[in-house]
Amino acid sequence: MKRLSAFAALFLLFDSLQAEVSFITEAEYASQLYHSPRGIGCHKCHGDQGEGRLIASYKDKGEDKVFHPPAINQIGYDAFVDAMKKRQKGMPRYFLTANEIKALFFYLHQKESDNAH
Ligand code: HEC
C-alpha cells in the first residue's frame, strides 16, 4: 500500500513537470527564439521590436559611416523568408527551419494582430 502511494506521488510530480514544460505559449516561444536563435539575438542588431537600430557611427577614410541594421518589422512575410535564406551583409547566417522563421515573423507582428482583435 505504501509503495503504491509513493508511485502515485511520483506520477503526480512527473505530470506537473510535463504541464510546466508545455505551458509555454506560442508568443513566449517566438519571443525566446527572437532573443536567442542559436546564435546572436536578432534584437542586438534590429532592436527589440525589429524597428532597426543604430549600432555605430564611425569614420572610414575620412568618410562618415554608420552601421545601422534596418527595420525588419515592416517587410512582408515572403520578403522576410527570402531575406532569411540569403546572405545579408553584416548579419550572421542562421539556417533556421521554416517554422522558426514563421515564429520570428509572428514575434515581429504580434502587436498588430493584438490590435486587430
Ligand atoms: C550582427 C547584426 C545582425 C544580427 C544579429 C541580425 N541581423 Fe538581420 N541584418 C543585419 C544587417 C546589417 C542587415 C542589412 C543587410 C544589408 O543591408 O545588406 C540585416 C538584414 C536583415 C533582413 C532583411 C531586411 C530587408 O529589408 O531586406 C532581415 C529579414 C533580417 N536581417 C532578419 C534578422 C533576424 C530574424 C535575425 C535573428 C535571427 C537577425 N536579422 C539578426 C544585421 C543583423
Side-chain angles (χ1 to χ4, degrees), residues 34 37 40-42 45-46 67 69-72 75 80 83-84 88-92 94 96 104:
Y34 185 76
I40 170 172
C42 318
C45 286
H46 292 288
F67 182 57
I72 54 169
I75 57 176
F80 184 77
M84 292 310 292
Q88 300 286 335
K89 205 168 152 250
M91 170 170 151
Y94 287 94
L96 300 171
L104 290 173

Side-chain angles (χ1 to χ4, degrees), residues 34 42-55 68-73 108:
Y34 185 76
C42 318
H43 62 298
K44 296 239 167 90
C45 286
H46 292 288
D48 199 50
Q49 312 297 322
E51 70 277 18
R53 197 173 162 199
L54 177 64
I55 308 265
H68 192 167
I72 54 169
N73 56 5
L108 293 166

Side-chain angles (χ1 to χ4, degrees), residues 63-104:
E63 255 182 70
D64 288 328
K65 299 253 171 153
V66 291
F67 182 57
H68 192 167
I72 54 169
N73 56 5
Q74 307 289 322
I75 57 176
Y77 182 64
D78 291 343
F80 184 77
V81 172
D82 282 353
M84 292 310 292
K85 289 182 177 162
K86 280 194 214 120
R87 175 164 283 288
Q88 300 286 335
K89 205 168 152 250
M91 170 170 151
R93 287 203 76 181
Y94 287 94
F95 304 103
L96 300 171
T97 67
N99 278 339
E100 286 171 329
I101 293 173
K102 204 184 271 177
L104 290 173

Side-chain angles (χ1 to χ4, degrees), residues 15-57:
D15 208 44
S16 71
L17 281 176
Q18 284 249 317
E20 215 165 284
V21 170
S22 61
F23 266 140
I24 168 173
T25 65
E26 192 175 358
E28 283 163 351
Y29 169 71
S31 171
Q32 279 177 16
L33 191 64
Y34 185 76
H35 292 93
S36 176
R38 293 204 299 274
I40 170 172
C42 318
H43 62 298
K44 296 239 167 90
C45 286
H46 292 288
D48 199 50
Q49 312 297 322
E51 70 277 18
R53 197 173 162 199
L54 177 64
I55 308 265
S57 48

